[in-house]
Amino acid sequence: FFGVGEEGALGDRWQELIHPEDLKPYTEKFFACLAERKPFHSELRVKRADGEWRWIESHGNPLFSKTGVFLGYIGTSPDITEHKRSYQAIQESEVRYRRLVETASEGIGQFDLEMRIIDVNDRAASLLGYSRAEILGHHLQEFTTPSEILNFRSKLENRKKGVSESYEACLVRKDGSNLWVLISASPLRDNQEKIIGSFVMFTDISERKRAEEELR
């Protein structure tokens, strides 16, 4: 694994293979557990002979003789580099997604199958005149008219069937005024592709609706 041969891996030289940023926390943890003769676990980067830094997950269990004499440690150090890279990629993806959502000019939201609000961006909350904290976890019916909620329920049935669609709807702002929006909705799925709600983007079309009314 290290590519250094037995001589390079035995003795005290193993500390030379540890990344400088990981050396102190790892050795402090190792020797603290050694003093108490208890198991240890740590993640750290080690350097291979080809110069590549790889992540390992180091596990050690105390080894005792039949008479109870502490002999040292026996353990494993599997390579978790790809796992670390995948985890980092997921974190970076989540950061990019959140940045995209929060800077979008459109309202974006997620609803469960009971039409409760799972998440919204700041733009969606501000269109309704609320903060995100004020509306998270609340039911959609609190932000629309009784007749409109029936429309949302029928649309939700389409989402349960895996259907995506666009339609117009009327919401009610905090000040009681109407907010007409164009909604683009699609099924929200979990990691097993099970439909757990709706993902929606909505655009404020109140000005357009007022102009149409004036023309009529």
Side-chain angles (χ1 to χ4, degrees):
F1 176 81
F2 292 108
V4 294
E6 187 174 337
E7 291 183 1
L10 297 179
D12 293 334
R13 294 195 60 190
W14 60 271
Q15 296 185 61
E16 299 175 8
L17 304 175
I18 300 176
H19 194 284
E21 295 178 4
D22 302 333
L23 179 60
K24 183 178 179 180
Y26 176 73
T27 53
E28 286 179 349
K29 187 171 187 178
F30 175 82
F31 288 115
C33 292
L34 180 65
E36 298 181 25
R37 302 182 181 185
K38 67 179 185 180
F40 72 89
H41 163 257
S42 186
E43 296 179 358
L44 66 151
R45 287 162 290 183
V46 294
K47 191 176 185 179
R48 300 202 312 186
D50 59 7
E52 181 184 3
W53 291 102
R54 304 286 293 184
W55 280 96
I56 63 171
E57 188 173 34
S58 182
H59 299 268
N61 290 299
L63 186 64
F64 298 91
S65 70
K66 293 181 179 180
T67 58
V69 177
F70 176 60
L71 303 176
Y73 279 101
I74 184 169
T76 59
S77 296
D79 184 351
I80 60 169
T81 305
E82 298 309 317
H83 170 74
K84 279 283 190 179
R85 288 173 179 170
S86 297
Y87 180 72
Q88 182 178 0
I90 291 173
Q91 286 186 312
E92 292 173 352
S93 177
E94 289 177 347
V95 170
R96 287 195 299 270
Y97 168 75
R98 177 53 60 181
R99 186 180 297 121
L100 177 64
V101 168
E102 291 304 330
T103 57
S105 59
E106 308 298 307
I108 298 175
Q110 297 180 16
F111 303 85
D112 67 14
L113 294 177
E114 300 299 324
M115 291 192 289
R116 283 187 296 267
I117 300 171
I118 301 173
D119 194 14
V120 291
N121 65 352
D122 289 334
R123 174 59 175 166
S126 65
L127 283 173
L128 288 167
Y130 296 89
S131 66
R132 289 182 68 244
E134 288 180 301
I135 62 178
L136 289 179
H138 286 260
H139 197 280
L140 183 60
Q141 67 183 18
E142 299 177 45
F143 309 101
T144 189
T145 63
S147 60
E148 196 68 57
I149 199 66
L150 295 176
N151 179 41
F152 279 115
R153 286 200 177 104
S154 67
K155 298 298 184 183
L156 180 60
E157 292 304 312
N158 292 337
R159 227 63 63 238
K160 292 178 180 179
K161 298 174 184 177
V163 177
S164 299
E165 61 185 329
S166 296
Y167 57 95
E168 295 180 1
C170 184
L171 302 175
V172 179
R173 292 189 177 96
K174 188 175 184 179
D175 61 9
S177 61
N178 288 341
L179 171 68
W180 278 96
V181 292
L182 174 64
I183 294 178
S184 296
S186 58
L188 180 65
R189 303 175 186 270
D190 62 13
N191 292 334
Q192 285 72 47
E193 291 300 307
K194 179 182 177 181
I195 296 175
I196 58 173
S198 301
F199 180 86
V200 303
M201 296 183 64
F202 51 93
T203 305
D204 183 358
I205 59 170
S206 299
E207 289 298 325
R208 194 195 80 192
K209 296 295 285 188
R210 278 193 287 270
E212 290 175 354
E213 183 62 24
E214 289 173 1
L215 286 173
R216 281 195 292 270

